[in-house]
Amino acid sequence: LVGTGSAEEAKNQISYLDKEVYRLGLDMNVASQGLVQMSVAANGVMQGGQLQDLFTGLSELSTAVKLDPFRYEKAIMAISQMLNKGQLMA
């Protein structure tokens, strides 16, 4: 609820996360913690759809290059830190 602001949006995020974890074969614990971390960091910086696009892109990339869960978690942390600063740069 902290990251989404409402129970309905939290339910939508959980449904989205379940689909992405299944589709990409992600580690559920790492992916769910990462999405929550990114949601909290993106609050006021990005909207829900933009956040999902960013999370999906990062998750697809990590699957394509076969990142292990530890490195995937670190990539999420890096994106979250950039979101906390309010700036995303290439």
Side-chain angles (χ1 to χ4, degrees):
L1 289 173
V2 171
T4 61
S6 72
E8 185 65 30
E9 186 59 29
K11 182 179 174 183
N12 291 338
Q13 287 285 57
I14 291 169
S15 175
Y16 158 75
L17 181 64
D18 283 341
K19 290 174 188 172
E20 290 300 284
V21 165
Y22 179 75
R23 182 175 74 91
L24 297 171
L26 302 171
D27 180 287
M28 178 58 132
N29 290 331
V30 173
S32 62
Q33 289 173 358
L35 184 59
V36 168
Q37 183 178 357
M38 287 175 66
S39 294
V40 170
N43 197 2
V45 177
M46 300 177 87
Q47 297 175 344
Q50 293 173 317
L51 177 65
Q52 286 183 354
D53 290 345
L54 179 61
F55 183 80
T56 295
L58 178 62
S59 298
E60 288 174 345
L61 175 66
S62 72
T63 300
V65 298
K66 298 181 181 3
L67 285 183
D68 59 61
F70 177 77
R71 289 194 174 153
Y72 175 59
E73 181 180 7
K74 295 304 174 193
I76 289 172
M77 185 184 309
I79 297 276
S80 297
Q81 287 174 347
M82 287 186 267
L83 288 168
N84 278 325
K85 293 178 182 177
Q87 299 177 4
L88 287 178
M89 296 181 225

